[in-house]
Amino acid sequence: YPATGSFTGFLIDSYGLEKFKCAYILEGRGQEEKENKGTWMRVYEKPLETLESEWLYWLVRRFNGDEKMLKSHFKHIETLRKMKKEMEAQKPKPETFPLYEGVYIWKSMGREFSIQIEKGKLLMKVQGAPDMTAQLVPAELHGFCLNGGPASGQIMKFHLDDKGKVIKASMGKFEFIRK
């Protein structure tokens, strides 16, 4: 709460109460609408990251903080943002989903399941067990987070051979061989 109050104080002090009231109202919109036209860009004509930087400099000046340390912090944050962007770029894209389609054998359970595309989504389905159906949400390079089913939240990683063909998948200590 103190950080929120401080950020609020900065926004009102720097941009005025009317803009803050407008931002407050807009933040009450649904997530989809906010993503379409972000509150911060709409009201302050700046991305949230820029406002955050301005706020931190405001704090440093207001409380005689160490500007050198703040600049070091910004460098670290920038490095983390670049890493996140690089990781996002490595996530599987829908056009690569056909690479993962197929039937996989779960030997330890004596079952098999299929990975298939339905309505643009990658799904894992176990024949005769609809409660085990899960959507595979891209999470990392050749890795998907399961959404639904008993393993919801787990990461399924696909392993490729030298030619770029998927030969198996794994989830934790479990391996699934592609048929």
Side-chain angles (χ1 to χ4, degrees), residues 133-137 145-149 151-154:
T133 298
Q135 180 182 348
L136 279 71
V137 179
C145 182
L146 272 65
N147 185 6
S152 193
Q154 298 294 313

Side-chain angles (χ1 to χ4, degrees), residues 6-17 20 58 61-62:
S6 172
F7 187 63
T8 299
F10 155 74
L11 290 173
I12 293 170
D13 188 50
S14 301
Y15 296 96
L17 183 59
F20 177 76
W58 179 81
R61 286 189 303 274
R62 189 174 183 132

